[in-house]
mmCIF file of all heavy atoms in Angstrom:
data_model
loop_
_atom_site.group_PDB
_atom_site.id
_atom_site.type_symbol
_atom_site.label_atom_id
_atom_site.label_comp_id
_atom_site.label_asym_id
_atom_site.label_seq_id
_atom_site.Cartn_x
_atom_site.Cartn_y
_atom_site.Cartn_z
ATOM 1 N N GLY A 174 145.464 117.961 147.905
ATOM 2 C CA GLY A 174 143.968 117.848 148.141
ATOM 3 C C GLY A 174 143.147 118.363 146.949
ATOM 4 O O GLY A 174 141.998 117.813 146.708
ATOM 5 N N GLN A 175 143.554 119.342 146.273
ATOM 6 C CA GLN A 175 142.885 119.967 145.019
ATOM 7 C C GLN A 175 142.798 118.867 143.961
ATOM 8 O O GLN A 175 141.792 118.613 143.235
ATOM 9 C CB GLN A 175 143.408 121.143 144.615
ATOM 10 C CG GLN A 175 143.185 122.334 145.659
ATOM 11 C CD GLN A 175 144.076 123.514 145.166
ATOM 12 O OE1 GLN A 175 145.126 123.491 144.633
ATOM 13 N NE2 GLN A 175 143.700 124.713 145.930
ATOM 14 N N ARG A 176 143.998 118.182 143.714
ATOM 15 C CA ARG A 176 143.978 117.173 142.776
ATOM 16 C C ARG A 176 143.060 115.913 143.113
ATOM 17 O O ARG A 176 142.323 115.363 142.201
ATOM 18 C CB ARG A 176 145.416 116.534 142.577
ATOM 19 C CG ARG A 176 146.361 117.506 141.883
ATOM 20 C CD ARG A 176 147.597 116.893 141.424
ATOM 21 N NE ARG A 176 148.395 116.261 142.495
ATOM 22 C CZ ARG A 176 149.369 116.927 143.213
ATOM 23 N NH1 ARG A 176 149.546 118.197 142.924
ATOM 24 N NH2 ARG A 176 150.010 116.278 144.265
ATOM 25 N N GLY A 177 142.928 115.592 144.351
ATOM 26 C CA GLY A 177 142.086 114.766 144.838
ATOM 27 C C GLY A 177 140.668 114.945 144.637
ATOM 28 O O GLY A 177 139.864 114.147 144.089
ATOM 29 N N ARG A 178 140.352 116.216 144.921
ATOM 30 C CA ARG A 178 138.854 116.699 144.535
ATOM 31 C C ARG A 178 138.591 116.657 143.117
ATOM 32 O O ARG A 178 137.455 116.414 142.612
ATOM 33 C CB ARG A 178 138.688 118.068 145.162
ATOM 34 C CG ARG A 178 138.510 118.053 146.613
ATOM 35 C CD ARG A 178 138.156 119.476 147.243
ATOM 36 N NE ARG A 178 139.385 120.199 147.469
ATOM 37 C CZ ARG A 178 139.432 121.502 147.364
ATOM 38 N NH1 ARG A 178 138.422 122.235 147.066
ATOM 39 N NH2 ARG A 178 140.673 122.119 147.627
ATOM 40 N N LEU A 179 139.500 117.061 142.223
ATOM 41 C CA LEU A 179 139.342 117.066 140.823
ATOM 42 C C LEU A 179 139.174 115.676 140.354
ATOM 43 O O LEU A 179 138.276 115.451 139.436
ATOM 44 C CB LEU A 179 140.594 117.735 140.047
ATOM 45 C CG LEU A 179 140.348 117.860 138.558
ATOM 46 C CD1 LEU A 179 139.197 118.653 138.192
ATOM 47 C CD2 LEU A 179 141.686 118.455 138.010
ATOM 48 N N ALA A 180 139.965 114.643 140.763
ATOM 49 C CA ALA A 180 139.716 113.367 140.418
ATOM 50 C C ALA A 180 138.301 112.800 140.768
ATOM 51 O O ALA A 180 137.763 112.049 139.997
ATOM 52 C CB ALA A 180 140.807 112.400 141.039
ATOM 53 N N LEU A 181 137.898 113.149 142.016
ATOM 54 C CA LEU A 181 136.447 112.790 142.397
ATOM 55 C C LEU A 181 135.491 113.489 141.478
ATOM 56 O O LEU A 181 134.508 112.867 141.076
ATOM 57 C CB LEU A 181 136.280 113.115 143.819
ATOM 58 C CG LEU A 181 134.984 112.822 144.410
ATOM 59 C CD1 LEU A 181 134.656 111.366 144.274
ATOM 60 C CD2 LEU A 181 134.908 113.210 145.868
ATOM 61 N N ALA A 182 135.754 114.782 141.172
ATOM 62 C CA ALA A 182 134.779 115.470 140.245
ATOM 63 C C ALA A 182 134.655 114.772 138.900
ATOM 64 O O ALA A 182 133.531 114.642 138.414
ATOM 65 C CB ALA A 182 135.261 116.912 140.110
ATOM 66 N N ALA A 183 135.821 114.415 138.388
ATOM 67 C CA ALA A 183 135.699 113.789 137.012
ATOM 68 C C ALA A 183 134.882 112.538 137.019
ATOM 69 O O ALA A 183 134.229 112.136 135.962
ATOM 70 C CB ALA A 183 137.195 113.415 136.604
ATOM 71 N N LEU A 184 134.974 111.731 138.091
ATOM 72 C CA LEU A 184 134.210 110.506 138.215
ATOM 73 C C LEU A 184 132.649 110.730 138.295
ATOM 74 O O LEU A 184 131.883 110.063 137.776
ATOM 75 C CB LEU A 184 134.726 109.601 139.367
ATOM 76 C CG LEU A 184 136.095 108.890 139.179
ATOM 77 C CD1 LEU A 184 136.492 108.367 140.499
ATOM 78 C CD2 LEU A 184 136.044 107.959 137.983
ATOM 79 N N LEU A 185 132.393 111.811 139.102
ATOM 80 C CA LEU A 185 131.020 112.144 139.338
ATOM 81 C C LEU A 185 130.365 112.619 138.008
ATOM 82 O O LEU A 185 129.177 112.621 137.864
ATOM 83 C CB LEU A 185 130.876 113.135 140.568
ATOM 84 C CG LEU A 185 131.245 112.639 141.866
ATOM 85 C CD1 LEU A 185 131.114 113.696 142.974
ATOM 86 C CD2 LEU A 185 130.247 111.419 142.335
ATOM 87 N N ILE A 186 131.082 113.415 137.323
ATOM 88 C CA ILE A 186 130.732 113.843 135.989
ATOM 89 C C ILE A 186 130.463 112.692 134.978
ATOM 90 O O ILE A 186 129.530 112.741 134.303
ATOM 91 C CB ILE A 186 131.747 114.887 135.393
ATOM 92 C CG1 ILE A 186 131.738 116.192 136.354
ATOM 93 C CG2 ILE A 186 131.437 115.266 133.907
ATOM 94 C CD1 ILE A 186 132.958 117.002 136.020
ATOM 95 N N ARG A 187 131.314 111.740 135.080
ATOM 96 C CA ARG A 187 131.210 110.566 134.099
ATOM 97 C C ARG A 187 130.039 109.744 134.332
ATOM 98 O O ARG A 187 129.374 109.217 133.477
ATOM 99 C CB ARG A 187 132.486 109.787 134.344
ATOM 100 C CG ARG A 187 133.509 110.065 133.315
ATOM 101 C CD ARG A 187 134.611 109.009 133.371
ATOM 102 N NE ARG A 187 134.134 107.624 133.109
ATOM 103 C CZ ARG A 187 134.719 106.550 133.389
ATOM 104 N NH1 ARG A 187 135.901 106.495 134.072
ATOM 105 N NH2 ARG A 187 134.223 105.308 133.128
ATOM 106 N N ARG A 188 129.687 109.525 135.655
ATOM 107 C CA ARG A 188 128.694 108.633 136.166
ATOM 108 C C ARG A 188 128.888 107.229 135.489
ATOM 109 O O ARG A 188 128.003 106.674 134.670
ATOM 110 C CB ARG A 188 127.189 109.160 135.710
ATOM 111 C CG ARG A 188 126.884 110.489 136.456
ATOM 112 C CD ARG A 188 125.674 110.973 135.835
ATOM 113 N NE ARG A 188 124.477 110.096 136.209
ATOM 114 C CZ ARG A 188 123.742 110.170 137.222
ATOM 115 N NH1 ARG A 188 124.098 111.013 138.257
ATOM 116 N NH2 ARG A 188 122.670 109.366 137.402
ATOM 117 N N PRO A 189 130.080 106.447 135.778
ATOM 118 C CA PRO A 189 130.221 105.298 135.307
ATOM 119 C C PRO A 189 129.266 104.167 135.867
ATOM 120 O O PRO A 189 128.615 104.334 136.847
ATOM 121 C CB PRO A 189 131.688 104.900 135.752
ATOM 122 C CG PRO A 189 131.853 105.792 136.913
ATOM 123 C CD PRO A 189 131.125 106.997 136.713
ATOM 124 N N ALA A 190 129.146 103.046 135.110
ATOM 125 C CA ALA A 190 128.262 101.999 135.533
ATOM 126 C C ALA A 190 128.617 101.419 136.920
ATOM 127 O O ALA A 190 127.866 100.841 137.737
ATOM 128 C CB ALA A 190 128.192 100.938 134.446
ATOM 129 N N ALA A 191 129.998 101.405 137.259
ATOM 130 C CA ALA A 191 130.457 100.945 138.420
ATOM 131 C C ALA A 191 131.448 101.980 138.928
ATOM 132 O O ALA A 191 132.454 102.329 138.157
ATOM 133 C CB ALA A 191 131.115 99.516 138.378
ATOM 134 N N LEU A 192 131.386 102.328 140.189
ATOM 135 C CA LEU A 192 132.174 103.440 140.799
ATOM 136 C C LEU A 192 132.953 102.873 142.092
ATOM 137 O O LEU A 192 132.251 102.389 142.969
ATOM 138 C CB LEU A 192 131.478 104.628 141.144
ATOM 139 C CG LEU A 192 132.247 105.945 141.626
ATOM 140 C CD1 LEU A 192 133.310 106.303 140.691
ATOM 141 C CD2 LEU A 192 131.236 106.999 141.882
ATOM 142 N N LEU A 193 134.243 102.908 142.123
ATOM 143 C CA LEU A 193 135.095 102.360 143.173
ATOM 144 C C LEU A 193 135.712 103.646 143.885
ATOM 145 O O LEU A 193 136.467 104.376 143.169
ATOM 146 C CB LEU A 193 136.099 101.277 142.736
ATOM 147 C CG LEU A 193 135.530 100.184 141.901
ATOM 148 C CD1 LEU A 193 136.728 99.267 141.517
ATOM 149 C CD2 LEU A 193 134.459 99.467 142.660
ATOM 150 N N LEU A 194 135.479 103.809 145.098
ATOM 151 C CA LEU A 194 136.059 104.951 145.880
ATOM 152 C C LEU A 194 136.839 104.601 147.030
ATOM 153 O O LEU A 194 136.444 103.802 147.945
ATOM 154 C CB LEU A 194 134.823 105.837 146.275
ATOM 155 C CG LEU A 194 133.913 106.456 145.269
ATOM 156 C CD1 LEU A 194 132.764 107.087 145.938
ATOM 157 C CD2 LEU A 194 134.637 107.308 144.287
ATOM 158 N N ASP A 195 138.095 105.108 147.015
ATOM 159 C CA ASP A 195 138.973 104.829 148.260
ATOM 160 C C ASP A 195 139.036 106.097 148.984
ATOM 161 O O ASP A 195 139.779 107.076 148.573
ATOM 162 C CB ASP A 195 140.346 104.438 147.756
ATOM 163 C CG ASP A 195 141.108 103.703 148.856
ATOM 164 O OD1 ASP A 195 140.633 103.707 150.029
ATOM 165 O OD2 ASP A 195 142.254 103.060 148.517
ATOM 166 N N GLU A 196 138.459 106.227 150.248
ATOM 167 C CA GLU A 196 138.537 107.355 151.029
ATOM 168 C C GLU A 196 138.089 108.627 150.283
ATOM 169 O O GLU A 196 138.824 109.678 150.178
ATOM 170 C CB GLU A 196 139.883 107.621 151.739
ATOM 171 C CG GLU A 196 140.272 106.498 152.573
ATOM 172 C CD GLU A 196 139.533 106.270 153.861
ATOM 173 O OE1 GLU A 196 138.627 107.079 154.101
ATOM 174 O OE2 GLU A 196 139.572 105.305 154.511
ATOM 175 N N PRO A 197 136.928 108.765 149.796
ATOM 176 C CA PRO A 197 136.492 109.845 148.894
ATOM 177 C C PRO A 197 136.372 111.173 149.611
ATOM 178 O O PRO A 197 136.309 112.137 148.915
ATOM 179 C CB PRO A 197 135.161 109.322 148.345
ATOM 180 C CG PRO A 197 134.643 108.483 149.314
ATOM 181 C CD PRO A 197 135.756 107.735 149.897
ATOM 182 N N THR A 198 136.127 111.198 150.994
ATOM 183 C CA THR A 198 135.916 112.426 151.694
ATOM 184 C C THR A 198 137.132 113.069 152.180
ATOM 185 O O THR A 198 137.014 114.076 152.894
ATOM 186 C CB THR A 198 134.844 112.257 152.809
ATOM 187 O OG1 THR A 198 135.351 111.211 153.637
ATOM 188 C CG2 THR A 198 133.471 111.852 152.205
#
Side-chain angles (χ1 to χ4, degrees):
Q175 290 166 342
R176 288 195 299 272
R178 281 184 278 149
L179 181 59
L181 179 56
L184 290 173
L185 294 176
I186 292 167
R187 266 187 60 200
R188 294 173 65 85
L192 181 58
L193 309 178
L194 302 172
D195 198 355
E196 298 295 349
T198 57

